[in-house]
Amino acid sequence: MGKRYAAIVLSAGKGTRMNSDVPKQYLMLNDKPVLYYSLHTFQQSRMEDIILVSGKEDITFCRDEIVQKYDFTKVRAVVPGGRERYHSVYCGLRELEKLHQAPDYVMIHDGARPFVSQAIIERCADAVEQSQACVAGMPVKDTIKIADKNQFAVETPARNFVWQVQTPQVFAFPLILQAYRKLLELEESGSPVSVTDDAMVLETVLNKKVRLIEGSYQNIKITTPEDLEIAKLFLKLMQ
């Protein structure tokens, strides 16, 4: 029997670097919101269930203008996120836990990354069933410098060992749920752990290694106005 997959798509960010009153994931990319593209890809994939995590004030908009408008039937719930990204992920994980059948594996994806592909999803699925934890990413093209607080270069890591991390980040569901529960317990006890992505939660809280899997250089995150223009070019090339 095949393993059951679910996706959590995060759409709760404010996008302050876009210089726009509209959150980046709702900006129009050609004639559709940025968020549409990743949801469409997951809708067409092996995912059984999708949980969309949005800002509390955006839930009605997401339900009416995205999920229902584009007939994303695999979206089981639109839930409000939390103060930080990791709070929002935990909201999505708890919602998956409530389903009649919880997934074996979960893919956590940023809604501001419109160009996740079926090929990336399948590569991650193959890898997670072997290693239980993997993230999409790509080797960096540029030389990277580690700086001190005064912006002086103090280290130059070997470029062939440096990757830029993307999403989806994919995990055995019980494993990532355990890690996030422990993370939140530490926070509530007054010993918070600083994390910037899901892999770091697993690495820091459970001391678990995470495998890097090839994503795509087109799998960009829409963060600045320039990114939106690049995304428009990618769409033209894909047509």
PDB file of all heavy atoms in Angstrom, residues 206-218:
ATOM      1  N   LEU A 206      16.096  17.574  17.767  1.00  0.00           N
ATOM      2  CA  LEU A 206      16.221  16.113  17.824  1.00  0.00           C
ATOM      3  C   LEU A 206      17.596  15.608  17.374  1.00  0.00           C
ATOM      4  O   LEU A 206      17.828  14.388  17.337  1.00  0.00           O
ATOM      5  CB  LEU A 206      15.137  15.462  16.962  1.00  0.00           C
ATOM      6  CG  LEU A 206      13.686  15.676  17.384  1.00  0.00           C
ATOM      7  CD1 LEU A 206      12.748  14.875  16.476  1.00  0.00           C
ATOM      8  CD2 LEU A 206      13.452  15.294  18.841  1.00  0.00           C
ATOM      9  N   ASN A 207      18.479  16.543  16.999  1.00  0.00           N
ATOM     10  CA  ASN A 207      19.824  16.154  16.540  1.00  0.00           C
ATOM     11  C   ASN A 207      19.757  15.170  15.382  1.00  0.00           C
ATOM     12  O   ASN A 207      20.510  14.198  15.316  1.00  0.00           O
ATOM     13  CB  ASN A 207      20.640  15.571  17.695  1.00  0.00           C
ATOM     14  CG  ASN A 207      22.125  15.525  17.387  1.00  0.00           C
ATOM     15  OD1 ASN A 207      22.639  16.360  16.639  1.00  0.00           O
ATOM     16  ND2 ASN A 207      22.822  14.560  17.953  1.00  0.00           N
ATOM     17  N   LYS A 208      18.820  15.427  14.458  1.00  0.00           N
ATOM     18  CA  LYS A 208      18.592  14.549  13.307  1.00  0.00           C
ATOM     19  C   LYS A 208      19.184  15.170  12.050  1.00  0.00           C
ATOM     20  O   LYS A 208      18.981  16.351  11.768  1.00  0.00           O
ATOM     21  CB  LYS A 208      17.079  14.342  13.134  1.00  0.00           C
ATOM     22  CG  LYS A 208      16.651  13.666  11.859  1.00  0.00           C
ATOM     23  CD  LYS A 208      16.919  12.182  11.876  1.00  0.00           C
ATOM     24  CE  LYS A 208      16.354  11.520  10.614  1.00  0.00           C
ATOM     25  NZ  LYS A 208      16.703  10.099  10.537  1.00  0.00           N
ATOM     26  N   LYS A 209      19.908  14.386  11.264  1.00  0.00           N
ATOM     27  CA  LYS A 209      20.459  14.880  10.007  1.00  0.00           C
ATOM     28  C   LYS A 209      19.373  14.968   8.941  1.00  0.00           C
ATOM     29  O   LYS A 209      18.458  14.137   8.907  1.00  0.00           O
ATOM     30  CB  LYS A 209      21.585  13.965   9.513  1.00  0.00           C
ATOM     31  CG  LYS A 209      22.878  14.111  10.303  1.00  0.00           C
ATOM     32  CD  LYS A 209      24.004  13.326   9.641  1.00  0.00           C
ATOM     33  CE  LYS A 209      25.327  13.548  10.366  1.00  0.00           C
ATOM     34  NZ  LYS A 209      26.431  12.809   9.707  1.00  0.00           N
ATOM     35  N   VAL A 210      19.506  15.962   8.089  1.00  0.00           N
ATOM     36  CA  VAL A 210      18.532  16.206   7.026  1.00  0.00           C
ATOM     37  C   VAL A 210      19.255  16.146   5.684  1.00  0.00           C
ATOM     38  O   VAL A 210      20.291  16.784   5.497  1.00  0.00           O
ATOM     39  CB  VAL A 210      17.847  17.576   7.208  1.00  0.00           C
ATOM     40  CG1 VAL A 210      16.883  17.849   6.067  1.00  0.00           C
ATOM     41  CG2 VAL A 210      17.119  17.635   8.548  1.00  0.00           C
ATOM     42  N   ARG A 211      18.705  15.392   4.760  1.00  0.00           N
ATOM     43  CA  ARG A 211      19.321  15.202   3.446  1.00  0.00           C
ATOM     44  C   ARG A 211      18.949  16.325   2.495  1.00  0.00           C
ATOM     45  O   ARG A 211      17.793  16.773   2.469  1.00  0.00           O
ATOM     46  CB  ARG A 211      18.875  13.863   2.866  1.00  0.00           C
ATOM     47  CG  ARG A 211      19.565  13.467   1.579  1.00  0.00           C
ATOM     48  CD  ARG A 211      19.117  12.070   1.175  1.00  0.00           C
ATOM     49  NE  ARG A 211      19.570  11.725  -0.155  1.00  0.00           N
ATOM     50  CZ  ARG A 211      19.177  10.631  -0.814  1.00  0.00           C
ATOM     51  NH1 ARG A 211      18.314   9.799  -0.240  1.00  0.00           N
ATOM     52  NH2 ARG A 211      19.622  10.373  -2.019  1.00  0.00           N
ATOM     53  N   LEU A 212      19.912  16.808   1.720  1.00  0.00           N
ATOM     54  CA  LEU A 212      19.679  17.839   0.720  1.00  0.00           C
ATOM     55  C   LEU A 212      19.368  17.198  -0.626  1.00  0.00           C
ATOM     56  O   LEU A 212      20.098  16.323  -1.090  1.00  0.00           O
ATOM     57  CB  LEU A 212      20.904  18.748   0.593  1.00  0.00           C
ATOM     58  CG  LEU A 212      21.238  19.578   1.836  1.00  0.00           C
ATOM     59  CD1 LEU A 212      22.625  20.182   1.721  1.00  0.00           C
ATOM     60  CD2 LEU A 212      20.202  20.667   2.045  1.00  0.00           C
ATOM     61  N   ILE A 213      18.286  17.637  -1.254  1.00  0.00           N
ATOM     62  CA  ILE A 213      17.817  17.083  -2.519  1.00  0.00           C
ATOM     63  C   ILE A 213      17.725  18.205  -3.546  1.00  0.00           C
ATOM     64  O   ILE A 213      17.293  19.323  -3.228  1.00  0.00           O
ATOM     65  CB  ILE A 213      16.428  16.431  -2.342  1.00  0.00           C
ATOM     66  CG1 ILE A 213      16.520  15.283  -1.316  1.00  0.00           C
ATOM     67  CG2 ILE A 213      15.878  15.915  -3.662  1.00  0.00           C
ATOM     68  CD1 ILE A 213      17.472  14.178  -1.689  1.00  0.00           C
ATOM     69  N   GLU A 214      18.097  17.900  -4.768  1.00  0.00           N
ATOM     70  CA  GLU A 214      18.091  18.918  -5.823  1.00  0.00           C
ATOM     71  C   GLU A 214      16.690  19.480  -6.049  1.00  0.00           C
ATOM     72  O   GLU A 214      15.736  18.755  -6.305  1.00  0.00           O
ATOM     73  CB  GLU A 214      18.608  18.325  -7.130  1.00  0.00           C
ATOM     74  CG  GLU A 214      18.659  19.336  -8.263  1.00  0.00           C
ATOM     75  CD  GLU A 214      19.140  18.719  -9.568  1.00  0.00           C
ATOM     76  OE1 GLU A 214      19.796  17.668  -9.515  1.00  0.00           O
ATOM     77  OE2 GLU A 214      18.862  19.307 -10.628  1.00  0.00           O
ATOM     78  N   GLY A 215      16.586  20.810  -5.927  1.00  0.00           N
ATOM     79  CA  GLY A 215      15.348  21.510  -6.255  1.00  0.00           C
ATOM     80  C   GLY A 215      15.451  22.051  -7.673  1.00  0.00           C
ATOM     81  O   GLY A 215      15.551  21.289  -8.628  1.00  0.00           O
ATOM     82  N   SER A 216      15.490  23.367  -7.784  1.00  0.00           N
ATOM     83  CA  SER A 216      15.640  24.004  -9.093  1.00  0.00           C
ATOM     84  C   SER A 216      16.032  25.451  -8.873  1.00  0.00           C
ATOM     85  O   SER A 216      15.566  26.097  -7.923  1.00  0.00           O
ATOM     86  CB  SER A 216      14.322  23.931  -9.879  1.00  0.00           C
ATOM     87  OG  SER A 216      14.365  24.800 -10.998  1.00  0.00           O
ATOM     88  N   TYR A 217      16.871  25.979  -9.770  1.00  0.00           N
ATOM     89  CA  TYR A 217      17.210  27.398  -9.688  1.00  0.00           C
ATOM     90  C   TYR A 217      16.006  28.280 -10.018  1.00  0.00           C
ATOM     91  O   TYR A 217      15.991  29.466  -9.700  1.00  0.00           O
ATOM     92  CB  TYR A 217      18.387  27.732 -10.602  1.00  0.00           C
ATOM     93  CG  TYR A 217      19.705  27.171 -10.107  1.00  0.00           C
ATOM     94  CD1 TYR A 217      20.411  26.222 -10.847  1.00  0.00           C
ATOM     95  CD2 TYR A 217      20.243  27.587  -8.898  1.00  0.00           C
ATOM     96  CE1 TYR A 217      21.610  25.708 -10.388  1.00  0.00           C
ATOM     97  CE2 TYR A 217      21.446  27.074  -8.425  1.00  0.00           C
ATOM     98  CZ  TYR A 217      22.128  26.137  -9.182  1.00  0.00           C
ATOM     99  OH  TYR A 217      23.323  25.624  -8.717  1.00  0.00           O
ATOM    100  N   GLN A 218      14.978  27.693 -10.626  1.00  0.00           N
ATOM    101  CA  GLN A 218      13.749  28.446 -10.879  1.00  0.00           C
ATOM    102  C   GLN A 218      12.807  28.457  -9.680  1.00  0.00           C
ATOM    103  O   GLN A 218      11.854  29.241  -9.643  1.00  0.00           O
ATOM    104  CB  GLN A 218      13.007  27.867 -12.093  1.00  0.00           C
ATOM    105  CG  GLN A 218      13.698  28.129 -13.421  1.00  0.00           C
ATOM    106  CD  GLN A 218      12.861  27.693 -14.611  1.00  0.00           C
ATOM    107  OE1 GLN A 218      11.889  26.952 -14.469  1.00  0.00           O
ATOM    108  NE2 GLN A 218      13.245  28.145 -15.785  1.00  0.00           N
TER     109      GLN A 218
END
